[in-house]
Amino acid sequence: MAVLAGIVVALGHPLLKPSPGSAATPDQDSSTLLPAPSPSGRPPSHAPHRGGRGALAEADGVVPDGATVLDHEVPAVANLDAELLDALRRAARDAADDGVTFTVNSGWRSRAYQEELLRKAVAQYGSEAEAARWVASATTSPHVSGDAVDIGPDRATDWLSEHGSAYRLCRIYRNEPWHFELRMDAADRGCPRMYADPAQDPRMRQ
């Protein structure tokens, strides 16, 4: 029996599965999952967000479910930088030929929306320094300036990670696979090396 048990372990028998919650299952969409827990054990506050408290609404950049980069009437989409939006729409049309749809989990945000996200992150993380790994200030956030978009689902982020440089669309942070920005020379030189997280981005220290 001991020998048999050893063989089962070595072969990775399907009965020996990881415990529930130890990892995301293959059909989960990481664009709506929270990143890894913080050292405090509390989940971080920043992943693509769909709402805030108080009076925050679509006019602040809250995204309705199912919004795509082609939705002209959604402020989170319409208020993106014109060149970024054009690149996203060209990429989305080509991705559609591969059966891939780009949804927008977050795009342009008002200062009020960004400030609320940061307050929430600080409360969950326990410090501004830890929160900065996931949420920028309203002054530095590329979402507030309309220069960043969070894309889903996984098939879309995978497609854009592979093909995005041809449209000058690049991932910026390793810890945020959904976050894309425009990089003007990416079509010729490829996307730049990613930062580990927003806290490593010099733009966030202004």
Side-chain angles (χ1 to χ4, degrees):
M1 290 298 291
V3 172
L4 178 59
I7 294 173
V8 168
V9 171
L11 293 178
H13 194 279
L15 293 178
L16 301 177
K17 297 179 180 178
S19 60
S22 62
T25 57
D27 60 345
Q28 284 179 305
D29 172 13
S30 66
S31 70
T32 56
L33 292 175
L34 294 176
S38 68
S40 68
R42 292 182 299 235
S45 65
H46 190 266
H49 293 276
R50 291 194 178 279
R53 63 184 179 181
L56 293 177
E58 283 192 29
D60 291 289
V62 176
V63 183
D65 288 341
T68 75
V69 299
L70 302 178
D71 285 328
H72 303 276
E73 303 302 319
V74 176
V77 176
N79 291 339
L80 289 171
D81 171 78
E83 288 186 285
L84 171 61
L85 186 54
D86 178 68
L88 284 166
R89 287 174 171 170
R90 287 188 291 108
R93 291 185 184 103
D94 290 345
D97 293 337
D98 294 331
V100 177
T101 299
F102 291 2
T103 58
V104 176
N105 292 324
S106 195
W108 168 84
R109 301 173 189 152
S110 69
R111 291 180 62 90
Y113 189 8
Q114 190 68 30
E115 287 167 358
E116 175 161 322
L117 295 181
L118 184 56
R119 284 195 298 270
K120 180 180 177 182
V122 171
Q124 290 186 323
Y125 279 111
S127 73
E128 292 184 2
E130 185 63 22
R133 296 185 58 241
W134 304 99
V135 184
S137 70
T139 302
T140 60
S141 172
H143 284 281
V144 173
S145 63
D147 294 317
V149 64
D150 294 341
I151 293 294
D154 282 353
R155 289 189 67 203
T157 57
D158 290 346
W159 192 97
L160 205 49
S161 292
E162 181 177 355
H163 303 288
S165 61
Y167 305 88
R168 302 177 298 169
L169 295 167
C170 295
R171 276 184 60 188
I172 305 301
Y173 308 120
R174 287 199 300 272
N175 69 331
E176 295 190 5
W178 49 78
H179 180 107
F180 288 85
E181 298 181 26
L182 197 66
R183 291 294 179 266
M184 301 305 290
D185 58 355
D188 298 320
R189 301 184 182 181
C191 290
R193 180 178 298 180
M194 288 182 279
Y195 298 109
D197 56 55
Q200 304 304 312
D201 187 342
R203 298 176 300 169
M204 303 299 112
R205 304 169 193 163
Q206 297 174 0

